[in-house]
Amino acid sequence: MSAASLTVGRRRVRSVIWHVGALAVLAVILYPVVWVIGGSFKPGDQIVGSLQLLPTDPITDNYRRLSDGIADVPISTFFTNSLLLAVGSVVGVLFSCSLAAYAFARIRFAGRNALFTLMISTLLLPFQVLIIPQYILFQKLHLINTYVPLLLGKYLAADAFFVFLMVQFMRGLPRELDEAARLDGCGHLRIYWNIVLPLCRPALITSAIFTFIWSWNDFIGPLLYLNEPDKYTVSLGLKLFIDQDSVADYGGMVAMSLVALLPVLLFFLAFQRYLVEGAATSGLKG
Amino acid sequence: MTPTTTRAADGVRPPGGTTPGKATPGTRPAPAAGRRQGRRETLAGYLFLTPWCVGILLLTLGPMLVSLYLAFTDYNLFDSPKWIGFKNFQDLFADDRWWTSVQVTLKYVLIGTPLKLAVALAVALLLVKPRKGQGFYRSAFYAPSLIGASVSIGVVWRAIFNDDAVVDKSMSLFGWDVGGWIGDPDWALPTLITLTVWQFGAPMVIFLAGLKQVPGELYEAAEMDGAGRWRRFRSITLPMISPVLFFNLLLELIHSFQVFTSAVVIAGSGTNTGGPGDSLLVYGWYLYEQGFRNLRMGYAAAMAWMLMLGIGLVTAVLFKTQRGWVHYEEDAR
């Protein structure tokens, strides 16, 4: 055997070892996800105690029981509510954050740097400082048990992460574009809408997907502001489920957990490239 | 509208302008037009910022002032707030459960964050060399970061770490018998910490982006000098990615201090609030309990400000020490 083919052979062996190692780590990491999928098709008494990952005879009972609803509220209500909030949040974030980002990135105005610093510093602010006065504000306005408290911030660019993400992206666009448009007589609104926004598509898509997923996963917001089960989101419905049956119905609980995860998992599968790159460039947290 | 270059908006006015309205690329408007342009730009800036400005006043700065005021009052949401000075803070220091929540949170932050970053860095190093299926691995490792904060995963965690459940049984196979993780005050917090560490994907992709920036020549040169793997990691990789490490550390710390959902779900439901023996009584949950269950809004506001102080302190210390260990490109030149 020649020396060259020997190194090729060694490299291949190394590559195989690498893949085996990486897959082994991956198996540990994704175990809980597979566990919940497998568990949702097992009878309740085999879920917790068993070491078996996948069911021997898959059953769909757990899902059938879910369709009866939780606390007299059908599951579809929780889904509609969550979907409404998530879509409403996406629209708000895209609209308000891109407006603010355009101002920070493309308009030179007095006080811009100071306001930008203020915007960035809100990233460090723990939400606990704000929730009590915000709650009092919405309570005084009689907006408890409505979706306004959960949506208002999205329409007022309160998510500094997305403003920052869009600013970074817009700064990368060539200035000549604006200048040419201005010579053609375009104002800021036209430049924003016709030039900058279309070019910002990647940043907008990243923000949209993250907003959807975060809104879907949100727990403390709905926990604070919603108090009638028929207004509950999927997260709260799941919590209701745990509270109600405690440990009695493991099958239903696991099935509901998976159902609650489903949109996020689907989004992840469809947009993983955007999600991973978006996280890498902006430091977004999941 | 007067056509002009954006530079004119800065108020940079070169001598001898041309007539406004007829400017061609490369010419600048007259001084008066420049000033008018500046005002117009400022107006446009604030118009675009209107939603954000309303938001920051109504939902951030206003509430901050209110919560600062409430921290010095006794307020139950129904009667008007009563000024009590520093009493809330005095009560905090005398409150055993507050100290417990501080301890639990500090343990969670100080053990969980380094562990999570170490795992993130290790996996990033594993994935940095271009290989087949790299994109797939990157995405798959990232997935837990997206779902980890959901109630669902909290439920799953609770189930697989339950007494006599999968983890417990698997560990017993290796002769390590904990006998109940969530039910055991000593093991409930480690269970919560594993959930944080499990979400190492977000810092991992940031590490990956940083690792890709390290010039390959450095490694080649070091290898020629006979530097081993560990030496290369310590002397090249770590200093070169220290800005990314700093960024990840800062973000994770701030994030971890505010842990809520996963702790609440793992701790259990109903009236059992802090987990076994309050071993999962994280700061965020105790604040919620005081404010929204016991309606001690002033007390909770004081708690919130103590948290803010703590986070501010940690951030300040990090920024202070970064000169010692974070190497930016500019310093080297």
Side-chain angles (χ1 to χ4, degrees), chain B residues 172-302:
Chain B
S172 318
L173 291 181
F174 297 105
W176 186 20
D177 215 348
V178 168
W181 290 68
I182 321 169
D184 185 334
D186 291 334
W187 287 97
L189 189 59
T191 307
L192 180 64
I193 290 174
T194 55
L195 178 51
T196 331
V197 176
W198 185 64
Q199 303 169 55
F200 67 87
M204 177 203 71
V205 295
I206 299 170
F207 274 135
L208 267 175
L211 284 171
K212 293 225 166 91
Q213 307 290 319
V214 183
E217 303 97 78
L218 286 180
Y219 291 110
E220 282 161 30
E223 217 166 336
M224 295 241 254
D225 290 344
R229 222 170 252 260
W230 172 244
R231 189 66 216 265
R232 271 176 281 157
F233 174 72
R234 272 214 43 201
S235 307
I236 303 174
T237 312
L238 267 189
M240 289 300 279
I241 61 158
S242 55
V244 182
L245 186 60
F246 178 73
F247 180 77
N248 266 335
L249 187 61
L250 190 66
L251 232 54
E252 287 302 332
L253 283 178
I254 295 173
H255 201 67
S256 307
F257 269 113
Q258 303 174 54
V259 56
F260 184 81
T261 306
S262 46
V264 174
V265 179
I266 292 181
S269 53
T271 46
N272 173 25
T273 52
D278 272 347
S279 56
L280 289 173
L281 187 74
V282 296
Y283 203 91
W285 176 253
Y286 190 49
L287 194 155
Y288 173 85
E289 194 187 295
Q290 287 297 333
F292 295 96
R293 286 198 167 182
N294 303 346
L295 293 182
R296 295 176 71 187
M297 292 284 178
Y299 197 66

Side-chain angles (χ1 to χ4, degrees), chain A:
Chain A
M1 213 194 275
S2 72
S5 70
L6 199 71
T7 39
V8 169
R10 206 173 284 158
R11 205 173 294 156
R12 190 163 301 154
V13 169
R14 250 199 215 165
S15 166
V16 169
I17 292 175
W18 184 89
H19 279 285
V20 169
L23 285 173
V25 178
L26 196 61
V28 175
I29 298 302
L30 292 186
Y31 180 88
V33 180
V34 182
W35 182 91
V36 70
I37 296 171
S40 70
F41 293 103
K42 287 184 199 166
D45 55 334
Q46 285 175 28
I47 292 174
V48 168
S50 160
L51 282 183
Q52 221 164 13
L53 200 50
L54 297 173
T56 30
D57 331 274
I59 53 156
T60 51
D61 262 24
N62 300 328
Y63 292 97
R64 213 164 300 139
R65 227 167 320 120
L66 276 191
S67 63
D68 299 342
I70 300 163
D72 296 326
V73 181
I75 299 282
S76 59
T77 306
F78 300 135
F79 261 81
T80 318
N81 295 342
S82 278
L83 201 66
L84 205 74
L85 275 170
V87 172
S89 300
V90 169
V91 172
V93 163
L94 290 188
F95 158 77
S96 68
C97 294
S98 68
L99 272 180
Y102 179 84
F104 285 129
R106 305 303 266 199
I107 306 178
R108 300 194 161 222
F109 58 93
R112 182 177 72 167
N113 290 342
L115 289 180
F116 189 71
T117 310
L118 179 64
M119 193 270 294
I120 293 294
S121 59
T122 61
L123 285 175
L124 303 178
L125 197 68
F127 72 90
Q128 280 90 350
V129 174
L130 305 177
I131 51 170
I132 292 164
Q134 282 182 1
Y135 184 86
I136 295 169
L137 173 78
F138 289 120
Q139 197 238 10
K140 296 257 187 261
L141 295 172
H142 301 287
L143 290 169
I144 302 296
N145 209 25
T146 71
Y147 292 154
V148 177
L150 301 173
L151 285 172
L152 189 65
K154 318 284 179 192
Y155 285 82
L156 297 177
D159 284 300
F161 252 134
F162 298 124
V163 180
F164 179 63
L165 179 93
M166 292 182 200
V167 167
Q168 292 299 89
F169 199 87
M170 285 180 192
R171 277 187 180 155
L173 302 175
R175 282 220 156 257
E176 289 75 28
L177 284 173
D178 308 28
E179 296 183 7
R182 309 206 94 195
L183 289 175
D184 288 341
C186 289
H188 279 299
L189 213 53
R190 291 271 305 271
I191 297 175
Y192 160 76
W193 188 255
N194 291 338
I195 298 174
V196 172
L197 270 197
L199 287 173
C200 278
R201 222 163 49 213
L204 297 179
I205 294 176
T206 304
S207 308
I209 303 167
F210 272 105
T211 305
F212 188 98
I213 293 177
W214 287 354
S215 165
W216 190 273
N217 281 343
D218 186 19
F219 177 60
I220 187 159
L223 180 70
L224 277 180
Y225 290 112
L226 305 176
N227 48 34
E228 278 166 25
D230 57 338
K231 295 226 168 88
Y232 276 12
T233 61
V234 173
S235 294
L236 277 189
L238 184 54
K239 181 74 167 73
L240 197 65
F241 198 84
I242 314 168
D243 288 347
Q244 184 189 34
D245 293 345
S246 78
V247 214
D249 184 6
Y250 260 113
M253 188 181 79
V254 171
M256 178 68 185
S257 300
L258 185 63
V259 165
L261 269 186
L262 220 52
V264 182
L265 288 175
L266 291 179
F267 258 83
F268 173 73
L269 288 177
F271 298 107
Q272 24 119 343
R273 204 171 55 87
Y274 276 110
L275 288 166
V276 173
E277 268 159 33
T281 48
S282 61
L284 284 171
K285 294 286 141 187

Side-chain angles (χ1 to χ4, degrees), chain B residues 14-66:
Chain B
T18 48
T19 36
K22 275 191 157 183
T24 47
T27 58
R28 269 102 186 209
R35 215 173 296 130
R36 201 175 332 126
Q37 188 60 39
R39 269 203 298 274
R40 199 176 281 165
E41 289 288 296
T42 298
L43 184 66
Y46 285 97
L47 277 178
F48 272 82
L49 275 187
T50 308
W52 179 82
C53 286
V54 174
I56 200 134
L57 289 175
L58 192 72
L59 298 177
T60 308
L61 295 180
M64 275 178 80
L65 287 178
V66 173

